[in-house]
Amino acid sequence: MNEIILMAHVVFGVGCLLAAVWLFVDVLNASEANLLRIRRVSWAAAGFMWVAFVIAGYWYVVSYHADKAIILHGPWPFAHSFFMETKEHLVIMLLLMTTYLPIAAANNLAINRDARRLVLWLTAGIALLALLVEGHGAIIATGVKLGLLAKPH
Amino acid sequence: MDSIPLSKYTVSFGLSLALCSVVNALIVVVKEKSPAVQAAMQKMTGHHWVTHSAIVIGLFLLCGWSFALPNGGQGLRITANRLIGIVTAGVLAGGVIIMGFYLIAD
């Protein structure tokens, strides 16, 4: 069950990342024809992020302490002391950015150039930050793996 | 051609996002530097990170609604360029403080 929870937060996180990239491209070509789709995808990005946040939060609070001990006794303690510590706080910012996305996308992006620029900045920021925390996740997972490999048999 | 103004909630929640990104980072510094603060946050919900998240999310919603109230309910008025600048600066500052803190200070 733990592995499913762990993988689910990655899946929804990647879903949010893909939705942000989709939005960036769609907003570059915003018109009356794709306005509804832009708004729906912006809600989807926020939804994916909220689900990822809740699942990851549950796992972090309930199960992470075991992985943390393995990482800190392994060869990559920085996988916790830097990467996990920063990730757990950067995702709060990412959650706020994705929550703001449907609000910004509710403007008429087909005719409002300023709103379009705002959503482009926002989606680019979300995509970059999501990519960064996904990378952090990979380093944390490697920290656990190396910690387990380093254990005396 | 005159530019079309952004909706009042776009402005208010944008400002709230910038503010809360910085507040999020400052809470990190305070709770990591003060064991008493971290213990109090731990006590409130059972885990300091849950309390931290709840404070930042609650503040984001509160500020977003509050910033929409001035000017007879029309919200704060700023240009789109200014809003984009403030949001970008707030998010970048928040990220740099968090990463810088764990890289150097902690």
Side-chain angles (χ1 to χ4, degrees), chain A residues 50 53 56-58 60-61 81-82 85-93 95-97 99-100 103-104 107-108 111-118 121-122 129 132 136, chain B residues 3-7 9-11 13-14 17 20-21 24 28 31-32 47-50 52-53 56-57 60 80-81 83-84 87-88 91 94-95 98-99 102-103 106:
Chain A
W50 270 94
F53 186 82
Y58 173 81
Y60 175 66
V61 169
S81 60
F82 179 75
E85 292 284 17
T86 53
K87 186 188 180 198
E88 74 187 57
H89 299 110
L90 289 176
V91 292
I92 300 175
M93 227 160 61
L95 182 76
L96 299 186
M97 290 166 80
T99 305
Y100 179 53
I103 299 169
N107 291 279
N108 188 339
I111 59 169
N112 192 335
R113 192 169 158 268
D114 287 336
R116 217 159 44 229
R117 277 193 305 122
L118 174 66
W121 272 97
L122 195 58
L129 190 53
L132 183 74
H136 276 45
Chain B
S3 63
I4 302 161
L6 298 168
S7 76
Y9 289 119
T10 303
V11 174
F13 277 93
L17 167 63
C20 291
S21 295
N24 176 43
V28 169
K31 78 173 178 181
E32 292 289 358
H47 200 289
H48 66 87
W49 181 81
V50 176
H52 185 149
S53 303
V56 176
I57 293 165
F60 173 69
N81 275 342
L83 181 66
I84 292 169
V87 170
T88 307
V91 169
I98 291 170
M99 296 187 80
Y102 285 111
L103 200 61
D106 192 36

Side-chain angles (χ1 to χ4, degrees), chain A residues 70-71 73-75 141-153:
Chain A
I70 294 168
I71 293 171
H73 288 98
T142 307
V144 177
K145 191 195 283 184
L146 290 175
L148 288 170
L149 286 171
K151 267 190 168 180
H153 296 287

Side-chain angles (χ1 to χ4, degrees), chain A residues 25-32 34-35 38 109-110 116:
Chain A
V25 177
D26 236 359
V27 172
L28 278 177
N29 303 288
S31 67
E32 292 294 342
N34 65 358
L35 213 49
I38 286 171
L109 302 183
R116 217 159 44 229

Side-chain angles (χ1 to χ4, degrees), chain B residues 39-74:
Chain B
M41 290 173 75
Q42 183 95 14
K43 203 174 172 187
M44 283 167 82
T45 60
H47 200 289
H48 66 87
W49 181 81
V50 176
T51 308
H52 185 149
S53 303
I55 291 170
V56 176
I57 293 165
L59 189 68
F60 173 69
L61 297 175
L62 186 71
C63 290
W65 289 114
S66 303
F67 293 159
L69 296 176
N71 295 320
Q74 293 192 346

